[in-house]
Amino acid sequence: MRVSTFTRQLTPVTRTSPARGFYSLRLYGARNQAMNAQYAAGVGANIVCDPFNNEMNEIVELIPRGNNLYSIHFQHTPG
């Protein structure tokens, strides 16, 4: 998957760790597709890939936890 923001992109060959911030997680071979949390307000949320529309359920907060580990929180479901 490609991790991207509006101003920069991290590809599989990038040698840097992404900083804490908000990103969209997009498919490497199809940049118009992004991870999306569907029905997250209720029980049984699904994580799917569908067309990127820059909606809040497609934006994640990437939080570094050390040792190259990250937590991912969808912007519209911070809890």
Side-chain angles (χ1 to χ4, degrees):
M1 279 191 205
R2 180 183 300 258
V3 180
S4 64
T5 65
F6 302 110
T7 58
R8 62 183 176 163
Q9 295 179 350
L10 301 172
T11 64
V13 296
T14 301
R15 300 271 184 220
T16 185
S17 297
R20 182 177 184 151
F22 293 94
Y23 298 84
S24 62
L25 301 177
R26 305 209 194 163
L27 297 179
Y28 180 70
R31 290 197 54 212
N32 63 331
Q33 299 284 311
M35 283 181 59
N36 182 336
Q38 290 183 333
Y39 313 113
V43 177
N46 295 316
I47 305 298
V48 300
C49 289
D50 64 3
F52 179 69
N53 301 328
N54 199 26
E55 297 172 343
M56 288 186 62
N57 60 340
E58 298 171 328
I59 306 298
V60 300
E61 182 178 11
L62 200 61
I63 303 170
R65 299 294 183 192
N67 201 26
N68 293 319
L69 299 174
Y70 292 84
S71 291
I72 296 173
H73 298 272
F74 282 88
Q75 187 175 10
H76 77 302
T77 58

